[in-house]
Amino acid sequence: MGFKAQVLPPDQFALWAQGARGTGQALDGRAFAELSKPTSYVKPMTYGAVAPGLFDAIVANRAPPPQIMPHNPPTSEQGAGQHAR
C-alpha cells in the first residue's frame, strides 16, 4: 500500500486533531471493512471518532473483513466479447 503523508509540527498536529474530533463519520468495524477494500484512489478523509476496541480487534486480526464483490464473467446473453452497459 502506498500513500502520501503530511508531517506537521506537534502544535499544528494538536490543533488539527482537536478540530477533527467529533466531526465526520466514526471509524467502526463497517467503515474499517470498507476502508480495507482494494482501491486505486480514495480522497483523503477524517474520522471524528474510533469505535471502542477497534484497534485491538485489528491487531488481533478480528476486524470485519472487506466484502469484495467477485468479478462476474459475461453471461451467454451478453456474449463472450461484449460487456454489459
Side-chain angles (χ1 to χ4, degrees):
M1 179 183 299
F3 56 90
K4 293 181 182 181
Q6 182 178 2
V7 180
L8 300 173
D11 58 333
Q12 288 182 16
F13 175 78
L15 285 173
W16 172 83
Q18 183 180 9
R21 273 191 198 98
T23 61
Q25 68 182 43
L27 182 58
D28 56 13
R30 181 182 226 166
F32 178 76
E34 188 67 27
L35 193 58
S36 299
K37 291 180 182 178
T39 59
S40 59
Y41 176 78
V42 175
K43 71 178 190 167
M45 64 185 80
T46 301
Y47 293 93
V50 179
L54 181 62
F55 178 80
D56 293 332
I58 293 168
V59 170
N61 203 24
R62 291 182 285 112
Q67 300 297 315
I68 301 171
M69 302 303 288
H71 173 71
N72 294 328
T75 64
S76 59
E77 293 174 3
Q78 294 172 334
Q82 298 186 8
H83 301 285
R85 295 181 206 264

